[in-house]
């Protein structure tokens, strides 16, 4: 089958269009013909080699963490899906590879595609939708009336998180450029901080939750907007000890990561704030709940550009700028 292959790690390394063996589904796998695949910053970071200590993939490999497509075949133990079903998913770590014509996905990671979305729109949702859900619903347990700051509101995670936070009843602030202010307000942001001309840490205070997806300086400044007992949740690092234990990393890597997060954990404790790192996980059940919110109009996808599969490297170039609105997607059909 045709697939885009990462032959070696490297900053902005181009992927090669070539042939890979057909996936062989196991008893609890679903074989899916990929019709569209979303691109994520996670793909860029793996390509660049930034995640080698915690995601030890070995090139050559096929990247890709989002898919929408049609079920071709199901394993002997699969009960929830059948051939011909339109589905979407974020395959679990170790089984990624949506930049290909077909992929075998665990039944537990898969959900029926939202009926009101195209394949391209559906492929933009899984990773960012699950990240928003796991930060706001699972980790932060947002309640109506709480105040949430979502950094980078016009990005993939930001556009999903703003909409979900509003659905949960929160007052939402976000950071964005002036050019993207109208977009994030349309998605539900109550307060928009122009990060080029305003300092969010001076404009905001008394917040319950901050979702950080930016750099270490932004992470530290975010402590200032939280009230005592607030939660600072970062999806861009540094990893905390709970993450290290959950991943089962070796002692040497755990010590390095613990040293990386020691500063922010110490400052958070001093401020009376809870700091945690979240690395999202695959979950078909949560995708099913997100699909219902999409079908009733609560959440809508934001797609920056749709590219033919052959232009995957060009699509990567758009997200590597860090200025994409929502997600970039490639289509195979």
């Amino acid at each position: 089958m045709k697939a885009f292959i990462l032959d070696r790690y490297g900053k902005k390394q181009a992927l090669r269009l070539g042939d890979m063996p057909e996936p062989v589904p196991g008893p609890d796998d679903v074989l899916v013909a990929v019709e569209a695949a979303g691109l994520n910053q996670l793909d860029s970071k793996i390509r660049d080699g930034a995640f080698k200590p915690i995601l030890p993939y070995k090139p050559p490999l096929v990247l890709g963490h989002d898919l929408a497509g049609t079920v071709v075949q199901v394993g002997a133990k699969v009960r929830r899906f059948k051939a011909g079903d339109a589905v979407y998913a974020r395959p679990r770590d170790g089984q990624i590879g949506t930049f290909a014509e077909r992929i075998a996905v665990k039944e537990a990671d898969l959900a029926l595609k939202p009926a009101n979305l195209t394949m391209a729109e559906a492929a933009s949702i899984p990773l960012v939708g699950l990240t928003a859900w796991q930060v706001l619903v699972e980790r932060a347990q947002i309640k109506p009336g709480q105040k949430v700051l979502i950094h980078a509101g016009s990005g993939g995670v930001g556009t999903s998180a703003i909409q979900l936070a509003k659905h949960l009843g929160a007052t939402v602030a976000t950071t964005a450029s002036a050019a993207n202010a109208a977009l994030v307000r349309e998605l539900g942001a109550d307060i928009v901080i122009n990060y080029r001309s305003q300092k969010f840490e001076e404009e905001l205070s008394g917040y319950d939750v901050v979702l950080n997806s930016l750099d270490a300086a932004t992470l530290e400044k975010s402590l200032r907007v939280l009230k005592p007992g607030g939660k600072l949740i970062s999806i861009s690092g540094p990893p905390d000890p709970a993450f290290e234990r959950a991943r089962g990393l070796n002692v040497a890597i755990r010590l390095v990561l613990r040293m990386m997060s020691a500063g922010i954990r110490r400052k958070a404790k001093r401020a009376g704030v809870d700091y945690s790192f979240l690395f999202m996980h695959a979950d078909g059940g949560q995708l099913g709940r997100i699909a219902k919110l999409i079908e009733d109009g609560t959440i809508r996808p934001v797609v920056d550009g749709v590219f033919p599969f052959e232009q995957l490297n060009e699509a990567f170039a758009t997200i590597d700028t860090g200025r994409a609105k929502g997600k970039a997607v490639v289509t195979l059909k």
Side-chain angles (χ1 to χ4, degrees), residues 197-272:
S197 62
Q198 296 175 282
K199 296 181 178 181
F200 72 89
E201 69 275 19
E202 296 177 0
E203 301 281 347
L204 307 174
S205 62
Y207 274 64
D208 298 280
V209 177
V210 174
L211 166 52
N212 178 65
S213 56
L214 300 174
D215 57 19
T218 303
L219 183 67
E220 186 172 333
K221 291 174 185 176
S222 295
L223 290 171
R224 304 182 208 173
V225 312
L226 286 161
K227 66 184 185 183
K231 296 179 180 181
L232 175 56
I233 303 170
S234 180
I235 61 172
S236 55
D240 60 4
F243 168 80
E244 299 155 20
R245 290 192 295 270
R247 300 293 295 193
L249 302 174
N250 68 51
V251 174
I253 293 175
R254 287 173 64 176
L255 285 173
V256 171
L257 296 180
R258 192 161 299 194
M259 289 175 61
M260 290 172 60
S261 68
I264 189 64
R265 288 188 287 114
R266 183 169 55 249
K267 290 171 183 175
K269 184 176 181 180
R270 193 180 305 138

Side-chain angles (χ1 to χ4, degrees), residues 21-324:
E22 289 282 345
V24 179
D28 55 353
D29 288 334
V30 177
L31 181 64
V32 179
V34 180
E35 297 187 36
L39 283 73
N40 293 279
Q41 291 292 337
L42 178 57
D43 297 301
S44 297
K45 290 179 179 179
I46 294 174
R47 176 203 63 192
D48 295 349
F51 279 7
K52 282 192 287 186
I54 59 176
L55 291 174
Y57 295 117
K58 297 187 185 306
L61 73 135
V62 180
L63 296 175
H65 292 76
D66 282 326
L67 74 90
T70 302
V71 174
V72 175
Q73 178 186 343
V74 299
K77 294 182 180 179
V78 173
R79 297 290 178 266
R80 295 191 298 114
F81 303 97
K82 65 183 185 304
D85 282 346
V87 293
Y88 77 146
R90 189 286 203 200
R92 64 187 58 186
D93 296 328
Q95 293 186 322
I96 64 169
T98 65
F99 300 153
E101 292 181 309
R102 284 168 291 282
I103 185 173
V105 182
K106 294 296 182 190
E107 178 183 23
D109 300 346
L110 205 61
L112 293 174
K113 179 184 75 68
N116 57 335
L117 296 188
T118 65
M119 287 291 183
E121 290 170 332
S124 74
I125 293 289
L127 185 143
V128 297
L130 286 170
T131 301
W133 186 277
Q134 289 163 20
V135 169
L136 299 174
V137 177
E138 280 193 331
R139 184 72 58 87
Q141 299 180 356
I142 295 296
K143 304 291 190 301
Q146 288 189 313
K147 293 165 44 173
V148 179
L149 168 60
I150 296 165
H151 283 296
S154 64
V157 173
T159 53
S160 292
I162 289 170
Q163 296 177 83
L164 181 58
K166 287 303 295 182
H167 169 68
L168 296 171
T171 295
V172 179
T174 192
T175 55
S177 67
N180 292 328
L183 169 64
V184 295
R185 286 195 179 95
E186 182 185 343
L187 295 174
D190 301 288
I191 301 168
V192 181
I193 302 296
N194 182 338
Y195 66 83
R196 290 195 174 103
S197 62
Q198 296 175 282
K199 296 181 178 181
F200 72 89
E201 69 275 19
E202 296 177 0
E203 301 281 347
L204 307 174
S205 62
Y207 274 64
D208 298 280
V209 177
V210 174
L211 166 52
N212 178 65
S213 56
L214 300 174
D215 57 19
T218 303
L219 183 67
E220 186 172 333
K221 291 174 185 176
S222 295
L223 290 171
R224 304 182 208 173
V225 312
L226 286 161
K227 66 184 185 183
K231 296 179 180 181
L232 175 56
I233 303 170
S234 180
I235 61 172
S236 55
D240 60 4
F243 168 80
E244 299 155 20
R245 290 192 295 270
R247 300 293 295 193
L249 302 174
N250 68 51
V251 174
I253 293 175
R254 287 173 64 176
L255 285 173
V256 171
L257 296 180
R258 192 161 299 194
M259 289 175 61
M260 290 172 60
S261 68
I264 189 64
R265 288 188 287 114
R266 183 169 55 249
K267 290 171 183 175
K269 184 176 181 180
R270 193 180 305 138
V273 167
D274 176 68
Y275 170 75
S276 64
F277 170 73
L278 185 136
F279 192 86
M280 61 79 57
H281 58 272
D283 192 312
Q286 291 178 0
L287 277 180
R289 296 171 73 179
I290 293 168
K292 289 182 171 57
L293 294 178
I294 292 169
E295 289 171 346
D296 70 16
T298 299
I299 294 175
R300 67 174 177 86
V302 178
V303 179
D304 187 64
V306 178
F307 299 77
F309 186 56
E310 294 76 15
Q311 293 180 13
L312 178 70
N313 286 308
E314 288 84 347
F316 260 114
T318 68
I319 67 168
D320 285 339
T321 66
R323 295 190 293 270

